[in-house]
């Protein structure tokens, strides 16, 4: 029953998006980001995969930006660079990209809802329009303390030379390593 609700919700959203004026800047940003996203991966090289990731992202952001849309199943989020890397993982894991494949709509719905659940569980507070800096800063402080706790010498040296985690760890935290690791490694890590 939950899966059929997800598919119905996806179809309703897809229809709703057709009838709105899209943000041209957002569309262009997603298009540019998705082209670069996991381009080494054999599936993400395909036009079909890029279209699916774009559709997932546009829908996810639309849900977040539309006050009239309320759903117990889907929250959505603001678009920040890096979310495309996470969406790509769920698209590849859930969708079928063979030539002549079956209807992908249920699979796209599952990828969209997986992305939403993942972000709301592990990255809560990151993909919002206002206030994400506080969450990011607190996580960077925790990471810095963790590094120092694990290896005092490295932690102290990094602090001494002014090489804080904001210089290297933001893509790690923002994408749960999806932007910096190959997909096969992400599957194992997540």
């Amino acid at each position: 029953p939950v899966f059929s609700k997800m598919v119905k919700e996806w179809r309703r959203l897809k229809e709703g998006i057709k009838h709105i004026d899209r943000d041209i800047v957002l569309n262009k940003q997603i298009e540019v980001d998705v082209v670069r996203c996991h381009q080494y991966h054999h599936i993400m090289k395909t036009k079909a995969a890029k279209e699916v990731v774009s559709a997932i992202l546009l829908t996810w952001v639309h849900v977040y930006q539309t006050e009239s849309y309320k759903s117990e199943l889907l929250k959505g989020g603001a678009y920040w660079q890096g979310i495309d890397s996470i969406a790509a993982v769920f698209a590849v894991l859930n969708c079928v990209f063979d030539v002549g494949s079956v209807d992908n709509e249920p699979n796209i719905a599952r990828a969209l809802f997986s992305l939403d659940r993942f972000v709301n569980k592990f990255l809560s507070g990151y993909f919002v329009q206002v206030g994400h800096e506080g969450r990011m800063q607190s996580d960077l402080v925790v990471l810095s303390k963790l590094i120092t706790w694990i290896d005092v010498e490295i932690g102290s040296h990094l602090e001494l030379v002014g090489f804080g985690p904001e210089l290297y760890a933001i893509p790690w935290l923002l994408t749960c390593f999806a932007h910096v690791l190959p997909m096969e490694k992400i599957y194992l890590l997540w």
Side-chain angles (χ1 to χ4, degrees), residues 63-139:
V63 166
Y64 181 74
Q65 292 176 343
T66 307
E67 288 185 28
S68 62
Y69 178 81
K70 299 291 179 231
S71 172
E72 61 187 54
L73 295 176
L74 189 64
K75 293 180 182 173
Y79 186 80
W80 296 110
Q81 286 181 317
I83 192 65
D84 56 308
S85 297
I86 299 170
V89 173
F90 290 113
V92 168
L93 285 173
N94 287 289
C95 298
V96 180
F97 295 104
D98 295 340
V99 175
S101 64
V102 297
D103 175 24
N104 235 354
E105 280 199 0
N107 303 325
I108 296 171
R110 186 173 35 243
L112 170 66
F113 285 89
S114 297
L115 168 70
D116 192 62
R117 291 286 189 266
F118 183 87
V119 168
N120 285 298
K121 182 171 185 174
F122 298 110
L123 299 170
S124 178
Y126 275 59
F127 294 96
V128 295
Q129 285 296 40
V130 179
H132 63 280
E133 300 91 352
R135 166 70 197 270
M136 176 71 70
Q137 193 57 44
S138 70
D139 287 352

Side-chain angles (χ1 to χ4, degrees), residues 22-109:
R22 293 196 180 168
D23 180 343
I24 294 170
V25 175
L26 175 65
N27 283 0
K28 189 64 179 166
Q29 187 62 57
I30 288 174
E31 181 183 320
V32 169
D33 290 347
V34 169
V35 165
R36 295 184 303 223
C37 181
H38 293 289
Q39 57 189 341
Y40 62 87
H41 193 272
H42 66 284
I43 292 175
M44 283 305 298
K45 286 181 183 177
T46 67
K47 182 180 177 191
K50 289 175 174 52
E51 287 172 354
V52 165
V53 172
S54 293
I56 289 168
L57 291 171
L58 286 168
T59 305
W60 192 68
V61 172
H62 170 69
V63 166
Y64 181 74
Q65 292 176 343
T66 307
E67 288 185 28
S68 62
Y69 178 81
K70 299 291 179 231
S71 172
E72 61 187 54
L73 295 176
L74 189 64
K75 293 180 182 173
Y79 186 80
W80 296 110
Q81 286 181 317
I83 192 65
D84 56 308
S85 297
I86 299 170
V89 173
F90 290 113
V92 168
L93 285 173
N94 287 289
C95 298
V96 180
F97 295 104
D98 295 340
V99 175
S101 64
V102 297
D103 175 24
N104 235 354
E105 280 199 0
N107 303 325
I108 296 171

